[in-house]
């Protein structure tokens, strides 16, 4: 797991946020999945497979977050994959993860049987390691992408880009639609959502904030307008927000403080905003100063001054080093 995921994954392991994320993504904000019905389960998933020679091979994969959704019985396995960058093979990756989760359920179901129960199965059930009336739980995977633009594939069929054109009379499309099962990923990119009111937790504010991460003015105003929340957030939330905003400067500031302290995001963002304004002003002054010095070089050259004389004059007038003066005359600054 990358360093950024180390900040974001614990944030979404909160059951209230996790259920809110899924309810907003799948149920338009209706509270179908309730926090009390969720159980965090180990994120490694795998299956013990055997080849024809009975040689065993254990395949494991690690998911970012996995929760069991259950009431009187288990309703589904809910998994969330956190993505900062586009993964162009995400449909295949998720399909493997989900397939392993199903295989693991089958393996666990068989392993829970007693020896007497295993003796009662018929040959087909023994071969399958799955009895005719056994069942498994559906696996629902959500891809949370917090980058700017997802231009990757969203299903398996989109990865067969040239398949249809390689066959005549539309046979390729017919084969895909009729005989090749499609697998589609469930992708959510909060920066592209129009209606954020479907989220009932603080995700509503944080996702709104992400829309302004590339505009410091709007970001600053938004946090000031919602200061009741942003003036006092937990360390975990602060780390997640700064990671989602991709602000190393904010992260460094918070890391210097007690992790148990609540963080004032408004103050931190105000400091960041003021630093940006100050840097803009400093850059403007430097650009103006440089423009004036280059103008002096241009004028002196136009009236026939030699380079050495111009360099001496620049040193005298602007109190700069010899190297700086030479770069101005050579046009390399």
């Amino acid at each position: 797991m990358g360093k950024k995921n180390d900040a974001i994954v614990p944030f979404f392991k909160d059951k209230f946020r996790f259920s809110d994320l899924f309810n907003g993504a799948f149920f338009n904000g209706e509270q179908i999945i309730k926090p009390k019905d969720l159980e965090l389960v180990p994120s490694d998933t795998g299956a013990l497979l055997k080849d024809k020679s009975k040689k065993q091979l254990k395949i494991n994969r690690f998911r970012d977050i996995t929760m069991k959704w259950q009431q009187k019985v288990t309703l589904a396995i809910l998994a969330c994959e956190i993505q900062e960058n586009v993964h162009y093979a995400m449909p295949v990756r998720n399909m493997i993860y989900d397939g392993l989760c199903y295989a693991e359920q089958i393996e666990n179901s068989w392993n829970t049987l007693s020896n007497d129960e295993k003796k009662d199965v018929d040959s087909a059930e023994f071969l399958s390691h799955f009895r005719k009336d056994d069942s498994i739980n559906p696996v629902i995977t959500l891809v949370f992408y917090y980058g700017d633009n997802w231009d990757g594939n969203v299903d398996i069929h989109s990865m067969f880009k040239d398949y249809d054109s390689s066959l005549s009379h539309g046979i390729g499309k017919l084969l895909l639609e009729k005989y090749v099962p499609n697998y589609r990923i469930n992708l959510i990119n909060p920066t592209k959502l129009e209606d954020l009111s479907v989220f009932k937790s603080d995700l509503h504010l944080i996702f709104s904030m992400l829309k302004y991460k590339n505009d410091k003015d709007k970001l600053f105003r938004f946090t000031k307008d919602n200061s009741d929340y942003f003036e006092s957030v937990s360390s975990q939330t602060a780390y997640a927000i700064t990671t989602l905003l991709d602000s190393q400067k904010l992260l460094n500031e918070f890391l210097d403080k007690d992790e148990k302290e609540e963080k004032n995001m408004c103050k931190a963002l105000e400091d960041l905003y003021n630093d940006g304004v100050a840097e803009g002003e400093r850059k403007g002054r430097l650009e103006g100063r440089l423009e004036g010095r280059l103008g002096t070089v241009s004028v002196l050259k136009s009236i026939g001054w030699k380079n050495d004389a111009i360099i001496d004059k620049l040193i005298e007038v602007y109190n700069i080093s010899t190297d700086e003066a030479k770069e101005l005359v050579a046009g390399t600054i």
Side-chain angles (χ1 to χ4, degrees), residues 47-48 62 69-70 84 86 108 113 137 151 158 163-164 171 179 205 231 241-242 251 256 261 278 292 295 306:
L48 187 63
F62 292 89
W69 178 26
Q70 54 191 355
E84 177 193 8
V86 175
N108 290 340
L113 298 179
N137 304 120
D151 62 351
S158 64
Y163 187 73
D164 186 43
I171 298 299
Y179 299 110
L205 288 172
E231 281 182 351
I241 291 175
T242 52
L251 187 59
D256 291 337
E261 290 182 359
K306 301 298 183 182

Side-chain angles (χ1 to χ4, degrees), residues 232-236 239 254 257-263:
S232 181
V233 298
S234 68
S235 294
Q236 183 188 81
Y239 294 153
F254 288 146
K257 298 180 181 179
D258 186 348
E259 290 189 5
K260 295 181 180 178
E261 290 182 359
E262 290 190 331
K263 312 299 183 182

Side-chain angles (χ1 to χ4, degrees), residues 212-267:
Y212 307 127
K213 70 176 181 179
N214 296 320
D215 189 326
K216 288 182 180 178
D217 289 337
K218 290 182 179 179
L219 179 61
F220 174 65
R221 286 197 295 270
F222 178 78
T223 54
K224 293 292 283 185
D225 290 342
N226 296 277
S227 59
D228 287 348
Y229 173 77
F230 288 109
E231 281 182 351
S232 181
V233 298
S234 68
S235 294
Q236 183 188 81
T237 300
Y239 294 153
I241 291 175
T242 52
T243 302
L244 291 169
L245 290 175
D246 197 22
S247 176
Q248 187 61 46
K249 188 168 184 177
L250 280 178
L251 187 59
N252 290 339
E253 178 178 340
F254 288 146
L255 287 175
D256 291 337
K257 298 180 181 179
D258 186 348
E259 290 189 5
K260 295 181 180 178
E261 290 182 359
E262 290 190 331
K263 312 299 183 182
N264 189 332
M265 294 295 300
C266 287
K267 179 65 169 60

Side-chain angles (χ1 to χ4, degrees), residues 125-140:
E125 291 175 323
F126 183 80
L127 178 65
S128 307
H129 276 202
F130 195 71
R131 296 175 299 181
K132 181 179 179 180
D133 295 328
D134 285 343
S135 64
I136 56 177
N137 304 120
V139 180
I140 304 173

Side-chain angles (χ1 to χ4, degrees), residues 129-169:
H129 276 202
F130 195 71
R131 296 175 299 181
K132 181 179 179 180
D133 295 328
D134 285 343
S135 64
I136 56 177
N137 304 120
V139 180
I140 304 173
T141 299
L142 178 64
V143 178
F144 175 78
Y145 171 67
Y146 63 97
D148 291 327
N149 292 292
W150 180 277
D151 62 351
N153 300 298
V154 295
D155 59 24
I156 293 292
H157 283 187
S158 64
M159 298 176 72
F160 307 134
K161 291 182 175 65
D162 299 323
Y163 187 73
D164 186 43
S165 61
S166 64
L167 297 171
S168 60
H169 307 297

